[in-house]
Amino acid sequence: MTTRLWRGGRLATLAGEQGWGLVDDGALLVGGDGLLQWVGPSADAPAADAVVELGGALVTPGLVDCHTHLVYGGNRALEFEQRLHGASYADIARAGGGIKSTVAATRAATEDELLAAATKRALALRAEGVTTLEVKSGYGLDAATEARMLRVARRLAGLGLDVRTSYLAAHALPPEFADADDYIAAVCLWLPELHREGLVDAVDAFCEHIAFSPAQVARVFDAARRLGLPVKLHAEQLSDQGGAQLAAGYQALSCDHLEHLSPTGIRAMAEAGTVAVLLPGAFYALRETQLPPLAALREAGVPIALATDHNPGSSPTLSPLLMMNMACVLFRMTPEEALRGLTVNGARALGLRDRGQLVAGQRADFCVWDGGHPRELAACFGHNPLIERVFKGNRGEA
Ligand code: NIG
Ligand code: FE
C-alpha cells in the first residue's frame, strides 16, 4: 500500500472545536486507503513512498457544500429582473413562477440534458475546492422526475466528488394537485421506492407560508423516520413557522436559511444537536434585511454551517468562497467560522463525521491554496486562489 507525504505547507487543520489549528511548515501523510495517517510539523514527518513539496502554500480541508439544488432545467434570469422591478420572491411564487417555472423546465429535460447542465455546475464548484456536495431533488414534484433528478445527482459522483442526495419533493405544490395534503400523501408514497433504489441519503422539505405547514412537514418526516432516513428542513426563511422546533423534534441533521428563527427554535436545535446552515447567497439575492440570529446561535452552541444553496432562483451562485466573504460581511461571521461552516460543520449538516478537519483518521480530502493565512479565503471575493484540490475519499489510492 503506497503512502504519500505532502510537506512544507501551512496547514489550517481546524482540529478541535475552535481555532484555525495552524501548523506552520506542516505535513500530511496520506495512506493507500485514502485516509490521513499522520498530520504535524514537516520536521517530524514519517517516511513515505512519495513526497510532494507544498512550497509554503496554504492547506485546508476540502470544502463541503451541504445545501444545493444543482440539478434542474432552464434558468430564472427573468425573475431576477422582475424582482428588480419590485416583485418579491413570494409574489412570483404565488403567481406560478419561481420554483414552479423550474419544475416545468426540469420535467421537460431528459436525464442526459440534466446531467450535462449539472456537470458544468459541479465542475465550477469543484474548481473552488468542493470535495463533498449535497444535491436536492424538488424540481420534479412527480415520482418519475424526482427519481431522474436524484439519479443525475448520483451520476455527478463520476466527477470525483462525494455526492449526498436529499429528497425534497415537499418543495412546492405541483399543478396537478389542488390540495396540499393530497400532495403530501403522494410525497410520502414515492419515498420508499426511491430509497429502495438507493437514491436518498436524507429527506428535506420547505416549511413556509408559500410552501408547506409544519403539520404537513411532520407527515413527510414520519415517512422518513419509518425508513430510518435522517431529515433536514428549509426553515424560517421568510417567516417564523416553528419549523426549527419541529425538525429538532425529529433530530434533524440541519435547519437551513433561518433568518426568522426564534429563541425557542434555537433552544430546540441546540438540544437536538441540529446544525444551522446559513445561506448568504439567498439572503443577498432576495435583498433580505432580517439577519439570521448569529449571536444567539453562537451563545446556544449550535454548530453553524455555510453553503451556496445553488439554485436558479434565489441563489444562482457557484462560488463557495464568495459565500465565505458574504457570511462575514453580511452576517458578521468570523473568517474562521466561515471556513468551519464550509468544512467540518458542513459535513456535520450531512451527518458526516469523517471529513472536514485535517486530523489523522479523517479522509484525505484537502485543498492547496495560493495564500499564507486561511483568513485570506474569506477576505477576498471574485477571485479563486485554489492551486490544487485533492480528493481521496474512499478511492483507495495514495
Ligand atoms: O433554498 N427556499 C426554497 N428553496 C430554495 C429556492 C428554490 C428556488 O427558488 O428555486 C432555496 O432558496
Ligand atoms: Fe435550498
Side-chain angles (χ1 to χ4, degrees):
M1 205 146 71
T2 50
T3 54
R4 180 168 296 175
L5 184 73
W6 300 73
R7 81 174 166 212
R10 183 162 211 202
L11 312 185
T13 65
L14 305 181
E17 287 299 313
Q18 55 184 343
W20 294 108
L22 285 181
V23 184
D24 284 323
D25 194 356
L28 306 162
L29 182 69
V30 180
D33 55 3
L35 301 180
L36 291 170
Q37 280 187 0
W38 182 92
V39 180
S42 298
D44 302 339
D49 299 317
V51 176
V52 183
E53 296 292 346
L54 288 163
L58 172 66
V59 183
T60 69
L63 303 186
V64 177
D65 193 352
C66 70
H67 180 142
T68 84
H69 308 249
L70 207 74
V71 176
Y72 56 85
N75 79 77
R76 305 238 293 275
L78 175 65
E79 201 180 288
F80 173 69
E81 283 186 327
Q82 289 169 335
R83 287 201 308 274
L84 292 177
H85 286 108
S88 74
Y89 183 70
D91 294 337
I92 292 167
R94 278 193 215 95
I99 293 171
K100 284 178 194 160
S101 73
T102 299
V103 170
T106 304
R107 287 179 175 182
T110 65
E111 184 166 325
D112 284 345
E113 286 165 350
L114 291 174
L115 181 65
T119 294
K120 288 187 206 158
R121 299 174 195 131
L123 290 176
L125 293 173
R126 202 179 78 159
E128 273 202 17
V130 172
T131 49
T132 298
L133 174 66
E134 186 256 17
V135 181
K136 300 175 195 300
S137 70
Y139 292 128
L141 312 186
D142 61 35
T145 317
E146 289 290 302
R148 188 153 81 245
M149 289 185 71
L150 292 168
R151 264 186 237 117
V152 168
R154 283 276 187 256
R155 288 173 69 185
L156 295 173
L159 300 172
L161 284 157
D162 202 26
V163 176
R164 312 294 292 184
T165 56
S166 302
Y167 174 64
L168 176 61
H171 196 194
L173 186 64
E176 56 277 15
F177 281 84
D179 184 85
D181 287 314
D182 291 347
Y183 178 60
I184 289 295
V187 168
C188 297
L189 198 71
W190 301 333
L191 176 60
E193 177 55 30
L194 296 172
H195 179 51
R196 252 192 310 279
E197 280 186 51
L199 292 173
V200 183
D201 295 316
V203 173
D204 196 347
F206 186 18
C207 186
E208 193 53 71
H209 55 76
I210 55 165
F212 298 99
S213 69
Q216 289 162 341
V217 170
R219 290 170 58 203
V220 178
F221 284 0
D222 286 335
R225 187 181 261 173
R226 285 195 286 277
L227 299 168
L229 283 167
V231 301
K232 51 217 287 110
L233 188 65
H234 285 71
E236 342 298 16
Q237 180 188 10
L238 308 172
S239 62
D240 178 17
Q241 298 279 315
Q245 36 289 38
L246 172 84
Y250 287 81
Q251 258 63 51
L253 293 174
S254 71
C255 290
D256 304 40
H257 288 286
L258 301 174
E259 281 83 347
H260 295 264
L261 179 63
S262 69
T264 313
I266 294 172
R267 267 197 307 280
M269 288 175 68
E271 275 164 29
T274 299
V275 176
V277 179
L278 303 187
L279 303 169
F283 175 90
Y284 163 81
L286 300 183
R287 303 179 62 142
E288 296 290 352
T289 51
Q290 171 87 30
L291 287 162
L294 183 64
L297 286 167
R298 277 183 189 136
E299 196 170 326
V302 176
I304 300 168
L306 266 189
T308 60
D309 189 17
H310 176 84
N311 73 72
S314 65
S315 191
T317 177
L318 290 164
S319 175
L321 290 176
L322 181 60
M323 297 307 101
M324 286 178 63
N325 178 266
M326 283 186 178
C328 296
V329 174
L330 301 175
F331 295 167
R332 296 286 181 236
M333 279 171 71
T334 67
E336 182 203 318
E337 285 174 325
L339 184 60
R340 281 184 176 268
L342 269 165
T343 52
V344 59
N345 288 345
R348 212 181 279 188
L350 298 174
L352 303 171
R353 299 288 180 149
D354 62 346
R355 66 199 75 181
Q357 291 169 310
L358 300 177
V359 298
Q362 290 247 311
R363 289 156 52 113
D365 300 350
F366 58 91
C367 294
V368 182
W369 309 91
D370 179 15
H373 193 283
R375 64 169 71 95
E376 293 165 26
L377 298 177
C380 68
F381 61 97
H383 164 65
N384 177 7
L386 188 74
I387 298 173
E388 189 161 5
R389 170 190 161 287
V390 179
F391 171 82
K392 293 298 179 191
N394 300 316
R395 293 195 305 164
E397 59 186 74

PDB file of all heavy atoms in Angstrom, residues 286-321:
ATOM      1  N   LEU A 286     -32.154  37.914  -2.599  1.00  0.00           N
ATOM      2  CA  LEU A 286     -33.533  38.337  -2.335  1.00  0.00           C
ATOM      3  C   LEU A 286     -33.561  39.669  -1.585  1.00  0.00           C
ATOM      4  O   LEU A 286     -34.629  40.146  -1.187  1.00  0.00           O
ATOM      5  CB  LEU A 286     -34.282  37.256  -1.544  1.00  0.00           C
ATOM      6  CG  LEU A 286     -34.384  35.889  -2.244  1.00  0.00           C
ATOM      7  CD1 LEU A 286     -35.202  34.916  -1.408  1.00  0.00           C
ATOM      8  CD2 LEU A 286     -34.970  36.015  -3.644  1.00  0.00           C
ATOM      9  N   ARG A 287     -32.410  40.254  -1.403  1.00  0.00           N
ATOM     10  CA  ARG A 287     -32.284  41.543  -0.703  1.00  0.00           C
ATOM     11  C   ARG A 287     -33.012  41.503   0.641  1.00  0.00           C
ATOM     12  O   ARG A 287     -33.754  42.427   0.986  1.00  0.00           O
ATOM     13  CB  ARG A 287     -32.821  42.688  -1.581  1.00  0.00           C
ATOM     14  CG  ARG A 287     -32.097  42.747  -2.914  1.00  0.00           C
ATOM     15  CD  ARG A 287     -32.644  43.842  -3.782  1.00  0.00           C
ATOM     16  NE  ARG A 287     -32.436  45.142  -3.141  1.00  0.00           N
ATOM     17  CZ  ARG A 287     -32.115  46.247  -3.768  1.00  0.00           C
ATOM     18  NH1 ARG A 287     -31.930  46.210  -5.067  1.00  0.00           N
ATOM     19  NH2 ARG A 287     -31.982  47.372  -3.129  1.00  0.00           N
ATOM     20  N   GLU A 288     -32.783  40.387   1.369  1.00  0.00           N
ATOM     21  CA  GLU A 288     -33.396  40.259   2.690  1.00  0.00           C
ATOM     22  C   GLU A 288     -32.766  41.279   3.634  1.00  0.00           C
ATOM     23  O   GLU A 288     -31.617  41.702   3.443  1.00  0.00           O
ATOM     24  CB  GLU A 288     -33.175  38.844   3.246  1.00  0.00           C
ATOM     25  CG  GLU A 288     -33.838  37.742   2.440  1.00  0.00           C
ATOM     26  CD  GLU A 288     -35.353  37.754   2.536  1.00  0.00           C
ATOM     27  OE1 GLU A 288     -35.911  38.520   3.354  1.00  0.00           O
ATOM     28  OE2 GLU A 288     -35.989  37.013   1.761  1.00  0.00           O
ATOM     29  N   THR A 289     -33.520  41.649   4.648  1.00  0.00           N
ATOM     30  CA  THR A 289     -32.960  42.571   5.642  1.00  0.00           C
ATOM     31  C   THR A 289     -32.916  41.939   7.031  1.00  0.00           C
ATOM     32  O   THR A 289     -32.175  42.389   7.896  1.00  0.00           O
ATOM     33  CB  THR A 289     -33.802  43.864   5.712  1.00  0.00           C
ATOM     34  OG1 THR A 289     -35.171  43.491   5.869  1.00  0.00           O
ATOM     35  CG2 THR A 289     -33.640  44.677   4.444  1.00  0.00           C
ATOM     36  N   GLN A 290     -33.727  40.897   7.249  1.00  0.00           N
ATOM     37  CA  GLN A 290     -33.735  40.225   8.549  1.00  0.00           C
ATOM     38  C   GLN A 290     -32.534  39.275   8.619  1.00  0.00           C
ATOM     39  O   GLN A 290     -32.469  38.289   7.896  1.00  0.00           O
ATOM     40  CB  GLN A 290     -35.042  39.439   8.694  1.00  0.00           C
ATOM     41  CG  GLN A 290     -35.109  38.523   9.882  1.00  0.00           C
ATOM     42  CD  GLN A 290     -35.598  39.217  11.142  1.00  0.00           C
ATOM     43  OE1 GLN A 290     -36.374  40.170  11.062  1.00  0.00           O
ATOM     44  NE2 GLN A 290     -35.119  38.762  12.272  1.00  0.00           N
ATOM     45  N   LEU A 291     -31.601  39.580   9.520  1.00  0.00           N
ATOM     46  CA  LEU A 291     -30.385  38.761   9.626  1.00  0.00           C
ATOM     47  C   LEU A 291     -30.663  37.498  10.440  1.00  0.00           C
ATOM     48  O   LEU A 291     -31.449  37.532  11.397  1.00  0.00           O
ATOM     49  CB  LEU A 291     -29.293  39.555  10.343  1.00  0.00           C
ATOM     50  CG  LEU A 291     -28.664  40.685   9.533  1.00  0.00           C
ATOM     51  CD1 LEU A 291     -27.929  41.658  10.458  1.00  0.00           C
ATOM     52  CD2 LEU A 291     -27.709  40.125   8.483  1.00  0.00           C
ATOM     53  N   PRO A 292     -30.011  36.391  10.103  1.00  0.00           N
ATOM     54  CA  PRO A 292     -30.136  35.208  10.972  1.00  0.00           C
ATOM     55  C   PRO A 292     -29.539  35.536  12.350  1.00  0.00           C
ATOM     56  O   PRO A 292     -28.593  36.323  12.438  1.00  0.00           O
ATOM     57  CB  PRO A 292     -29.321  34.134  10.237  1.00  0.00           C
ATOM     58  CG  PRO A 292     -28.433  34.866   9.300  1.00  0.00           C
ATOM     59  CD  PRO A 292     -29.107  36.170   8.962  1.00  0.00           C
ATOM     60  N   PRO A 293     -30.089  34.944  13.432  1.00  0.00           N
ATOM     61  CA  PRO A 293     -29.675  35.316  14.787  1.00  0.00           C
ATOM     62  C   PRO A 293     -28.332  34.695  15.174  1.00  0.00           C
ATOM     63  O   PRO A 293     -28.260  33.789  16.004  1.00  0.00           O
ATOM     64  CB  PRO A 293     -30.812  34.767  15.646  1.00  0.00           C
ATOM     65  CG  PRO A 293     -31.332  33.596  14.880  1.00  0.00           C
ATOM     66  CD  PRO A 293     -31.164  33.924  13.419  1.00  0.00           C
ATOM     67  N   LEU A 294     -27.282  35.224  14.573  1.00  0.00           N
ATOM     68  CA  LEU A 294     -25.951  34.619  14.724  1.00  0.00           C
ATOM     69  C   LEU A 294     -25.483  34.595  16.176  1.00  0.00           C
ATOM     70  O   LEU A 294     -25.000  33.571  16.663  1.00  0.00           O
ATOM     71  CB  LEU A 294     -24.961  35.400  13.848  1.00  0.00           C
ATOM     72  CG  LEU A 294     -23.548  34.872  13.824  1.00  0.00           C
ATOM     73  CD1 LEU A 294     -23.486  33.485  13.206  1.00  0.00           C
ATOM     74  CD2 LEU A 294     -22.639  35.829  13.056  1.00  0.00           C
ATOM     75  N   ALA A 295     -25.636  35.731  16.874  1.00  0.00           N
ATOM     76  CA  ALA A 295     -25.113  35.797  18.243  1.00  0.00           C
ATOM     77  C   ALA A 295     -25.815  34.772  19.130  1.00  0.00           C
ATOM     78  O   ALA A 295     -25.176  34.075  19.934  1.00  0.00           O
ATOM     79  CB  ALA A 295     -25.306  37.205  18.807  1.00  0.00           C
ATOM     80  N   ALA A 296     -27.128  34.641  18.968  1.00  0.00           N
ATOM     81  CA  ALA A 296     -27.877  33.685  19.799  1.00  0.00           C
ATOM     82  C   ALA A 296     -27.519  32.242  19.444  1.00  0.00           C
ATOM     83  O   ALA A 296     -27.461  31.374  20.324  1.00  0.00           O
ATOM     84  CB  ALA A 296     -29.376  33.919  19.629  1.00  0.00           C
ATOM     85  N   LEU A 297     -27.273  31.984  18.166  1.00  0.00           N
ATOM     86  CA  LEU A 297     -26.849  30.633  17.763  1.00  0.00           C
ATOM     87  C   LEU A 297     -25.501  30.292  18.392  1.00  0.00           C
ATOM     88  O   LEU A 297     -25.295  29.196  18.916  1.00  0.00           O
ATOM     89  CB  LEU A 297     -26.751  30.534  16.232  1.00  0.00           C
ATOM     90  CG  LEU A 297     -28.073  30.473  15.468  1.00  0.00           C
ATOM     91  CD1 LEU A 297     -27.855  30.697  13.979  1.00  0.00           C
ATOM     92  CD2 LEU A 297     -28.773  29.123  15.691  1.00  0.00           C
ATOM     93  N   ARG A 298     -24.593  31.263  18.331  1.00  0.00           N
ATOM     94  CA  ARG A 298     -23.268  31.059  18.960  1.00  0.00           C
ATOM     95  C   ARG A 298     -23.413  30.775  20.436  1.00  0.00           C
ATOM     96  O   ARG A 298     -22.834  29.841  20.969  1.00  0.00           O
ATOM     97  CB  ARG A 298     -22.439  32.344  18.829  1.00  0.00           C
ATOM     98  CG  ARG A 298     -21.740  32.526  17.534  1.00  0.00           C
ATOM     99  CD  ARG A 298     -20.927  33.814  17.656  1.00  0.00           C
ATOM    100  NE  ARG A 298     -20.356  34.210  16.383  1.00  0.00           N
ATOM    101  CZ  ARG A 298     -20.362  35.450  15.917  1.00  0.00           C
ATOM    102  NH1 ARG A 298     -20.947  36.430  16.606  1.00  0.00           N
ATOM    103  NH2 ARG A 298     -19.797  35.722  14.762  1.00  0.00           N
ATOM    104  N   GLU A 299     -24.203  31.616  21.084  1.00  0.00           N
ATOM    105  CA  GLU A 299     -24.343  31.511  22.528  1.00  0.00           C
ATOM    106  C   GLU A 299     -24.948  30.165  22.937  1.00  0.00           C
ATOM    107  O   GLU A 299     -24.566  29.585  23.943  1.00  0.00           O
ATOM    108  CB  GLU A 299     -25.236  32.645  23.030  1.00  0.00           C
ATOM    109  CG  GLU A 299     -25.129  32.865  24.518  1.00  0.00           C
ATOM    110  CD  GLU A 299     -25.850  34.142  24.904  1.00  0.00           C
ATOM    111  OE1 GLU A 299     -25.838  35.097  24.090  1.00  0.00           O
ATOM    112  OE2 GLU A 299     -26.439  34.149  25.982  1.00  0.00           O
ATOM    113  N   ALA A 300     -25.866  29.674  22.115  1.00  0.00           N
ATOM    114  CA  ALA A 300     -26.505  28.390  22.431  1.00  0.00           C
ATOM    115  C   ALA A 300     -25.618  27.208  22.042  1.00  0.00           C
ATOM    116  O   ALA A 300     -25.950  26.058  22.332  1.00  0.00           O
ATOM    117  CB  ALA A 300     -27.845  28.295  21.707  1.00  0.00           C
ATOM    118  N   GLY A 301     -24.512  27.489  21.339  1.00  0.00           N
ATOM    119  CA  GLY A 301     -23.608  26.402  20.950  1.00  0.00           C
ATOM    120  C   GLY A 301     -24.118  25.582  19.778  1.00  0.00           C
ATOM    121  O   GLY A 301     -23.746  24.422  19.617  1.00  0.00           O
ATOM    122  N   VAL A 302     -24.971  26.190  18.945  1.00  0.00           N
ATOM    123  CA  VAL A 302     -25.447  25.487  17.746  1.00  0.00           C
ATOM    124  C   VAL A 302     -24.341  25.531  16.688  1.00  0.00           C
ATOM    125  O   VAL A 302     -23.851  26.624  16.370  1.00  0.00           O
ATOM    126  CB  VAL A 302     -26.727  26.162  17.189  1.00  0.00           C
ATOM    127  CG1 VAL A 302     -27.169  25.507  15.887  1.00  0.00           C
ATOM    128  CG2 VAL A 302     -27.848  26.106  18.222  1.00  0.00           C
ATOM    129  N   PRO A 303     -23.920  24.390  16.152  1.00  0.00           N
ATOM    130  CA  PRO A 303     -22.899  24.419  15.087  1.00  0.00           C
ATOM    131  C   PRO A 303     -23.452  25.141  13.858  1.00  0.00           C
ATOM    132  O   PRO A 303     -24.609  24.945  13.492  1.00  0.00           O
ATOM    133  CB  PRO A 303     -22.637  22.942  14.770  1.00  0.00           C
ATOM    134  CG  PRO A 303     -23.389  22.140  15.773  1.00  0.00           C
ATOM    135  CD  PRO A 303     -24.397  23.025  16.440  1.00  0.00           C
ATOM    136  N   ILE A 304     -22.607  25.969  13.242  1.00  0.00           N
ATOM    137  CA  ILE A 304     -23.065  26.774  12.108  1.00  0.00           C
ATOM    138  C   ILE A 304     -22.332  26.345  10.838  1.00  0.00           C
ATOM    139  O   ILE A 304     -21.097  26.330  10.804  1.00  0.00           O
ATOM    140  CB  ILE A 304     -22.834  28.273  12.387  1.00  0.00           C
ATOM    141  CG1 ILE A 304     -23.624  28.685  13.637  1.00  0.00           C
ATOM    142  CG2 ILE A 304     -23.254  29.120  11.187  1.00  0.00           C
ATOM    143  CD1 ILE A 304     -23.256  30.047  14.181  1.00  0.00           C
ATOM    144  N   ALA A 305     -23.115  26.018   9.816  1.00  0.00           N
ATOM    145  CA  ALA A 305     -22.537  25.678   8.517  1.00  0.00           C
ATOM    146  C   ALA A 305     -22.925  26.742   7.503  1.00  0.00           C
ATOM    147  O   ALA A 305     -23.825  27.556   7.745  1.00  0.00           O
ATOM    148  CB  ALA A 305     -23.028  24.311   8.058  1.00  0.00           C
ATOM    149  N   LEU A 306     -22.249  26.716   6.379  1.00  0.00           N
ATOM    150  CA  LEU A 306     -22.489  27.653   5.278  1.00  0.00           C
ATOM    151  C   LEU A 306     -22.591  26.857   3.996  1.00  0.00           C
ATOM    152  O   LEU A 306     -21.901  25.852   3.861  1.00  0.00           O
ATOM    153  CB  LEU A 306     -21.254  28.523   5.082  1.00  0.00           C
ATOM    154  CG  LEU A 306     -21.067  29.858   5.716  1.00  0.00           C
ATOM    155  CD1 LEU A 306     -19.816  30.494   5.087  1.00  0.00           C
ATOM    156  CD2 LEU A 306     -22.268  30.740   5.496  1.00  0.00           C
ATOM    157  N   ALA A 307     -23.413  27.310   3.072  1.00  0.00           N
ATOM    158  CA  ALA A 307     -23.485  26.600   1.792  1.00  0.00           C
ATOM    159  C   ALA A 307     -23.865  27.572   0.692  1.00  0.00           C
ATOM    160  O   ALA A 307     -24.294  28.703   0.967  1.00  0.00           O
ATOM    161  CB  ALA A 307     -24.493  25.457   1.878  1.00  0.00           C
ATOM    162  N   THR A 308     -23.720  27.125  -0.550  1.00  0.00           N
ATOM    163  CA  THR A 308     -24.062  28.020  -1.665  1.00  0.00           C
ATOM    164  C   THR A 308     -25.569  28.101  -1.868  1.00  0.00           C
ATOM    165  O   THR A 308     -26.055  29.087  -2.416  1.00  0.00           O
ATOM    166  CB  THR A 308     -23.463  27.539  -3.001  1.00  0.00           C
ATOM    167  OG1 THR A 308     -23.980  26.238  -3.301  1.00  0.00           O
ATOM    168  CG2 THR A 308     -21.943  27.524  -2.967  1.00  0.00           C
ATOM    169  N   ASP A 309     -26.325  27.031  -1.498  1.00  0.00           N
ATOM    170  CA  ASP A 309     -27.754  26.964  -1.842  1.00  0.00           C
ATOM    171  C   ASP A 309     -27.932  27.125  -3.352  1.00  0.00           C
ATOM    172  O   ASP A 309     -28.925  27.695  -3.803  1.00  0.00           O
ATOM    173  CB  ASP A 309     -28.548  28.035  -1.078  1.00  0.00           C
ATOM    174  CG  ASP A 309     -30.064  27.882  -1.224  1.00  0.00           C
ATOM    175  OD1 ASP A 309     -30.519  26.802  -1.619  1.00  0.00           O
ATOM    176  OD2 ASP A 309     -30.784  28.861  -0.931  1.00  0.00           O
ATOM    177  N   HIS A 310     -26.949  26.665  -4.139  1.00  0.00           N
ATOM    178  CA  HIS A 310     -27.071  26.935  -5.576  1.00  0.00           C
ATOM    179  C   HIS A 310     -28.445  26.493  -6.080  1.00  0.00           C
ATOM    180  O   HIS A 310     -28.850  25.346  -5.911  1.00  0.00           O
ATOM    181  CB  HIS A 310     -25.986  26.226  -6.403  1.00  0.00           C
ATOM    182  CG  HIS A 310     -26.226  26.459  -7.869  1.00  0.00           C
ATOM    183  ND1 HIS A 310     -25.784  27.581  -8.521  1.00  0.00           N
ATOM    184  CD2 HIS A 310     -26.975  25.772  -8.774  1.00  0.00           C
ATOM    185  CE1 HIS A 310     -26.237  27.561  -9.772  1.00  0.00           C
ATOM    186  NE2 HIS A 310     -26.954  26.474  -9.953  1.00  0.00           N
ATOM    187  N   ASN A 311     -29.156  27.406  -6.700  1.00  0.00           N
ATOM    188  CA  ASN A 311     -30.440  27.108  -7.351  1.00  0.00           C
ATOM    189  C   ASN A 311     -30.687  28.226  -8.355  1.00  0.00           C
ATOM    190  O   ASN A 311     -30.042  29.282  -8.279  1.00  0.00           O
ATOM    191  CB  ASN A 311     -31.569  26.990  -6.310  1.00  0.00           C
ATOM    192  CG  ASN A 311     -31.991  28.321  -5.726  1.00  0.00           C
ATOM    193  OD1 ASN A 311     -32.626  29.123  -6.392  1.00  0.00           O
ATOM    194  ND2 ASN A 311     -31.627  28.590  -4.467  1.00  0.00           N
ATOM    195  N   PRO A 312     -31.575  27.998  -9.331  1.00  0.00           N
ATOM    196  CA  PRO A 312     -31.715  29.000 -10.392  1.00  0.00           C
ATOM    197  C   PRO A 312     -32.467  30.259  -9.969  1.00  0.00           C
ATOM    198  O   PRO A 312     -32.435  31.257 -10.688  1.00  0.00           O
ATOM    199  CB  PRO A 312     -32.509  28.247 -11.462  1.00  0.00           C
ATOM    200  CG  PRO A 312     -33.273  27.212 -10.699  1.00  0.00           C
ATOM    201  CD  PRO A 312     -32.394  26.813  -9.554  1.00  0.00           C
ATOM    202  N   GLY A 313     -33.112  30.227  -8.804  1.00  0.00           N
ATOM    203  CA  GLY A 313     -33.949  31.360  -8.417  1.00  0.00           C
ATOM    204  C   GLY A 313     -33.302  32.252  -7.380  1.00  0.00           C
ATOM    205  O   GLY A 313     -32.868  33.366  -7.676  1.00  0.00           O
ATOM    206  N   SER A 314     -33.213  31.740  -6.145  1.00  0.00           N
ATOM    207  CA  SER A 314     -32.817  32.616  -5.044  1.00  0.00           C
ATOM    208  C   SER A 314     -31.314  32.658  -4.800  1.00  0.00           C
ATOM    209  O   SER A 314     -30.843  33.502  -4.024  1.00  0.00           O
ATOM    210  CB  SER A 314     -33.514  32.171  -3.753  1.00  0.00           C
ATOM    211  OG  SER A 314     -33.063  30.892  -3.379  1.00  0.00           O
ATOM    212  N   SER A 315     -30.546  31.771  -5.454  1.00  0.00           N
ATOM    213  CA  SER A 315     -29.108  31.776  -5.169  1.00  0.00           C
ATOM    214  C   SER A 315     -28.310  31.165  -6.317  1.00  0.00           C
ATOM    215  O   SER A 315     -27.688  30.112  -6.174  1.00  0.00           O
ATOM    216  CB  SER A 315     -28.824  31.014  -3.859  1.00  0.00           C
ATOM    217  OG  SER A 315     -27.493  31.230  -3.442  1.00  0.00           O
ATOM    218  N   PRO A 316     -28.332  31.835  -7.480  1.00  0.00           N
ATOM    219  CA  PRO A 316     -27.644  31.236  -8.625  1.00  0.00           C
ATOM    220  C   PRO A 316     -26.124  31.465  -8.585  1.00  0.00           C
ATOM    221  O   PRO A 316     -25.528  31.977  -9.532  1.00  0.00           O
ATOM    222  CB  PRO A 316     -28.298  31.917  -9.836  1.00  0.00           C
ATOM    223  CG  PRO A 316     -28.874  33.181  -9.309  1.00  0.00           C
ATOM    224  CD  PRO A 316     -29.073  33.042  -7.829  1.00  0.00           C
ATOM    225  N   THR A 317     -25.503  31.075  -7.498  1.00  0.00           N
ATOM    226  CA  THR A 317     -24.052  31.225  -7.368  1.00  0.00           C
ATOM    227  C   THR A 317     -23.384  29.865  -7.394  1.00  0.00           C
ATOM    228  O   THR A 317     -23.989  28.858  -6.992  1.00  0.00           O
ATOM    229  CB  THR A 317     -23.670  31.924  -6.046  1.00  0.00           C
ATOM    230  OG1 THR A 317     -22.238  31.974  -5.959  1.00  0.00           O
ATOM    231  CG2 THR A 317     -24.189  31.174  -4.825  1.00  0.00           C
ATOM    232  N   LEU A 318     -22.162  29.830  -7.863  1.00  0.00           N
ATOM    233  CA  LEU A 318     -21.374  28.592  -7.838  1.00  0.00           C
ATOM    234  C   LEU A 318     -20.061  28.848  -7.115  1.00  0.00           C
ATOM    235  O   LEU A 318     -19.051  28.234  -7.429  1.00  0.00           O
ATOM    236  CB  LEU A 318     -21.149  28.094  -9.269  1.00  0.00           C
ATOM    237  CG  LEU A 318     -22.411  27.554  -9.943  1.00  0.00           C
ATOM    238  CD1 LEU A 318     -22.243  27.438 -11.453  1.00  0.00           C
ATOM    239  CD2 LEU A 318     -22.791  26.190  -9.357  1.00  0.00           C
ATOM    240  N   SER A 319     -20.089  29.770  -6.154  1.00  0.00           N
ATOM    241  CA  SER A 319     -18.845  30.147  -5.501  1.00  0.00           C
ATOM    242  C   SER A 319     -18.910  29.997  -3.983  1.00  0.00           C
ATOM    243  O   SER A 319     -19.404  30.887  -3.284  1.00  0.00           O
ATOM    244  CB  SER A 319     -18.500  31.604  -5.847  1.00  0.00           C
ATOM    245  OG  SER A 319     -17.346  31.995  -5.123  1.00  0.00           O
ATOM    246  N   PRO A 320     -18.400  28.900  -3.467  1.00  0.00           N
ATOM    247  CA  PRO A 320     -18.348  28.764  -2.003  1.00  0.00           C
ATOM    248  C   PRO A 320     -17.467  29.840  -1.361  1.00  0.00           C
ATOM    249  O   PRO A 320     -17.759  30.292  -0.245  1.00  0.00           O
ATOM    250  CB  PRO A 320     -17.771  27.358  -1.781  1.00  0.00           C
ATOM    251  CG  PRO A 320     -17.190  26.932  -3.082  1.00  0.00           C
ATOM    252  CD  PRO A 320     -17.909  27.688  -4.152  1.00  0.00           C
ATOM    253  N   LEU A 321     -16.441  30.275  -2.069  1.00  0.00           N
ATOM    254  CA  LEU A 321     -15.575  31.324  -1.491  1.00  0.00           C
ATOM    255  C   LEU A 321     -16.341  32.633  -1.339  1.00  0.00           C
ATOM    256  O   LEU A 321     -16.169  33.360  -0.358  1.00  0.00           O
ATOM    257  CB  LEU A 321     -14.344  31.557  -2.378  1.00  0.00           C
ATOM    258  CG  LEU A 321     -13.310  30.439  -2.393  1.00  0.00           C
ATOM    259  CD1 LEU A 321     -12.214  30.774  -3.399  1.00  0.00           C
ATOM    260  CD2 LEU A 321     -12.705  30.214  -1.014  1.00  0.00           C
TER     261      LEU A 321
END
